[in-house]
Amino acid sequence: MKTIILKTISNAKVNLALDILGVSKSGKFKGYHKIQTVFAEINSQNTPKFVPDEITIKATPSKKISITISASRHQQEISAQDSPIHKAALIMLKEAKAKFSVEIIVEKNIPISGGLGGGSGNVAAVINGLNMILKLGMSAERRRRIAAKISMDAPFFIEGGLALGENFGEKITNIPPVKGLAFAIFPAEGRLEKTKIEFSKMTRGIIEKCGRNVEKTIQLVHALKTNESLNIHELVHNDFELLLKKTLKKNIHLSGAGPSTFVVV
């Protein structure tokens, strides 16, 4: 039985805008925060010295479904059966309606829980990779729907680039590439808290101060579409900065909910 091997990379992201619009009060996503955001993919072309995660996927026809995950760092967290990568692989194998033994090897370079979306990017890379290996022919929209079952940031990474994210961040509208748009990233180090914990810090009092820059986000999307570089710099914002005890220096912003920071250069 022939083993198919695919090697791919998994990039990071920053949120050029992140508006927290409130909390869902009912339904399946009760307690989730409604947001409006602008995602930008971080890669080795637009960010000097950035090193992506490297992912190798091996799939072999088998009598039963099996998934093995190994990682260069954070082995226990990444390889657990309830890990996002494991969930993504299992969903895709079930979609294939075929039995495979899958081995996934993750060379981790992006900090976990740093606000750079490394884990969500891994999820999307596995979904895209297995879609290719198993010849499922899924559309990007269908892959995004699968990704949203695992992480609200993961749908963006299915195609990456630039995009407006709405609802909980999983409703994606692509924005055309902007020539010359580049970043400097300052990854956070040490023991970092997960996005879920960061959102839990958004108390009612803080949330009442959020969502006041929605018009600014609309202007940012327009500036990106028309390549108005000066306006792009001035329109970057993030409601999570309301949680900071110390104001960041001018033009430096949180990369997302996590503690890493960035600047548009």
Side-chain angles (χ1 to χ4, degrees), residues 54 68-79 85 104-108 112 122:
E54 297 177 11
T68 304
I69 302 170
S70 60
S72 59
R73 289 187 288 168
H74 308 284
Q75 167 68 26
Q76 188 173 356
E77 186 173 355
I78 291 173
S79 64
I85 294 176
I104 300 170
I105 304 166
V106 183
E107 181 67 34
K108 207 66 186 139
I112 286 182
N122 293 169

Side-chain angles (χ1 to χ4, degrees), residues 47-212:
T47 307
K49 298 181 180 179
F50 171 75
V51 181
D53 290 345
E54 297 177 11
I55 297 179
T56 302
I57 305 172
K58 301 178 181 180
T60 307
S62 177
K63 293 181 180 180
K64 64 178 182 178
I65 288 176
S66 68
I67 301 167
T68 304
I69 302 170
S70 60
S72 59
R73 289 187 288 168
H74 308 284
Q75 167 68 26
Q76 188 173 356
E77 186 173 355
I78 291 173
S79 64
Q81 287 198 359
D82 62 348
S83 75
I85 294 176
H86 193 283
K87 289 177 182 176
L90 184 59
I91 290 173
M92 292 300 286
L93 287 173
K94 288 182 176 178
E95 288 284 337
K97 294 183 173 62
K99 295 174 182 177
F100 282 84
S101 174
V102 170
E103 180 184 1
I104 300 170
I105 304 166
V106 183
E107 181 67 34
K108 207 66 186 139
N109 296 304
I110 302 169
I112 286 182
S113 302
L116 293 168
S120 296
N122 293 169
V123 165
V126 168
I127 290 171
N128 285 339
L130 286 173
N131 179 59
M132 188 178 299
I133 286 175
L134 304 177
K135 298 180 180 179
L136 299 177
M138 290 183 180
S139 66
E141 184 56 38
R142 187 176 174 192
R143 280 176 276 144
R144 279 195 286 264
R145 287 198 297 269
I146 290 172
K149 296 178 181 179
I150 303 162
S151 160
M152 293 303 177
D153 280 353
F156 161 69
F157 284 101
I158 293 297
E159 293 185 297
L162 287 168
L164 175 68
E166 297 176 284
N167 199 39
F168 303 116
E170 85 287 8
K171 291 189 175 179
I172 299 298
T173 303
N174 291 325
I175 297 171
V178 175
K179 187 178 180 180
L181 186 63
F183 309 92
I185 300 293
F186 311 103
E189 298 179 352
R191 189 174 179 82
L192 308 176
E193 293 183 332
K194 291 185 177 294
T195 300
K196 184 178 178 181
I197 295 174
E198 295 296 337
F199 269 107
S200 73
K201 295 177 183 177
M202 281 289 173
T203 62
R204 183 174 179 180
I206 296 291
I207 287 178
E208 287 175 353
K209 298 177 184 178
C210 294
R212 297 180 181 180

Side-chain angles (χ1 to χ4, degrees), residues 223-252:
L224 289 167
K225 288 181 176 179
T226 53
N227 205 357
E228 298 171 13
S229 57
L230 180 62
N231 284 343
I232 292 170
H233 284 76
E234 295 175 348
L235 294 168
V236 176
H237 63 276
N238 186 335
D239 279 348
F240 272 97
E241 291 170 14
L242 293 169
L243 292 172
L244 298 177
K245 295 177 181 178
K246 186 178 179 181
T247 303
L248 294 169
K249 292 181 181 179
K250 186 178 180 181
N251 294 330
I252 294 179

